[in-house]
Amino acid sequence: AGGCDGVPRGHPVLLIACDASASLSNDQMRMTKVMAASWLTATSKSGVCVLAGLYHSGEVRQGVSGPLIQWIAHPCKSVAASKRDAIRALVALPDKGTGAQSDALSIAFMLEEAKRLARGSMIYLILISDCAWNQSFNTEKNGKEKVRAFFESAHDDLNGKLNTTLVALGVSEETGFEDLLEKVVKVSEENLRDYAAVAEQIGVYVASCIRERRRPMGRR
């Protein structure tokens, strides 16, 4: 992974966290890649620092499996030299998820990376998931409750410096996060292959957020 010496800090950060577990269908995984690529494209000429990664589980080291973050765009932990390089790497990934996800744990880890680079600047978190939340810790809360508790704590801790969008893949009903997050985008099963329309919607929304990045945005 290496250090981050020489990497500018204190700039707005766009964090794209992609659920890549085995519960995602081929259509959901392809849409995940298209949407992540759309956000990377939308920010290619901006001054926003972009982190993008897949979270699932796999072999952490020889003989040991656990939660795994696969960085696609990261100023210190990715081989991609530019956002366009990251897009090419993203497109080349398999069209099927693998392993199980530890949602709250993985998202928390990725957010800590963003906080370290943002240093008090705005963080835009884009979470792309099928919303089949898994339990991350040995608690009485189920996966969804744990993710909700994480977001409540994160928004309070960052005090208006976190803007979160949940993209719910293959979901038509309410997610249970509409009252908590800044935006929830539901992509129904029938729209999972409508890449162009979804990518355009995302590009326009992200561009508007970046233009308004100096305006404090907290929880609804």
Side-chain angles (χ1 to χ4, degrees):
C4 283
D5 293 340
V7 175
R9 292 178 173 83
H11 292 283
V13 173
L14 172 65
L15 171 61
I16 307 169
C18 304
D19 178 356
S21 65
S23 64
L24 273 75
S25 67
N26 284 21
D27 285 342
Q28 288 172 322
M29 194 62 192
R30 289 192 193 105
M31 180 60 84
T32 296
K33 296 199 295 182
V34 169
M35 287 191 290
S38 174
W39 263 302
L40 287 168
T41 300
T43 60
S44 61
K45 295 181 180 180
S46 75
V48 175
C49 175
V50 176
L51 303 183
L54 309 180
Y55 70 89
H56 50 129
S57 64
E59 190 174 61
V60 179
R61 58 182 183 274
Q62 188 172 5
V64 179
S65 294
L68 186 65
I69 307 295
Q70 185 175 359
W71 291 108
I72 303 303
H74 191 296
C76 317
K77 300 182 179 182
S78 169
V79 297
S82 67
K83 293 169 187 174
R84 294 193 181 278
D85 284 345
I87 292 170
R88 285 192 284 270
L90 185 64
V91 171
L93 291 172
D95 283 333
K96 186 71 175 74
T98 58
Q101 78 275 50
S102 297
D103 299 281
L105 180 62
S106 297
I107 301 165
F109 178 84
M110 297 175 82
L111 184 59
E112 283 301 315
E113 288 286 297
K115 286 166 61 178
R116 189 163 57 89
L117 292 171
R119 284 186 175 176
S121 291
M122 197 70 195
I123 298 173
Y124 300 96
L125 168 58
I126 313 297
L127 173 60
I128 307 174
S129 175
D130 62 351
C131 298
W133 311 113
N134 277 8
Q135 205 167 8
S136 300
F137 311 103
N138 294 323
T139 68
E140 294 181 358
K141 293 181 178 178
N142 61 34
K144 180 178 178 179
E145 291 169 339
K146 194 64 185 177
V147 171
R148 185 177 174 88
F150 160 74
F151 277 123
E152 289 174 344
S153 175
H155 279 88
D156 288 342
D157 178 55
L158 287 166
N159 192 27
K161 293 295 185 179
L162 175 63
N163 180 290
T164 303
T165 297
L166 169 63
V167 181
L169 300 177
V171 176
S172 299
E173 67 277 6
E174 295 292 289
T175 64
F177 291 86
E178 283 77 7
D179 64 322
L180 179 63
L181 307 181
E182 281 68 31
K183 190 172 183 66
V184 175
V185 178
K186 295 188 285 288
V187 182
S188 64
E189 288 286 351
E190 55 267 29
N191 290 331
L192 280 174
R193 295 189 180 184
D194 196 354
Y195 304 123
V198 175
E200 181 180 3
Q201 177 188 5
I202 289 166
V204 169
Y205 173 67
V206 171
S208 68
C209 283
I210 292 172
R211 283 196 300 269
E212 298 174 6
R213 65 181 180 268
R214 294 186 182 278
R215 187 181 73 186
M217 287 185 285
R219 198 176 2 156
R220 284 179 178 176

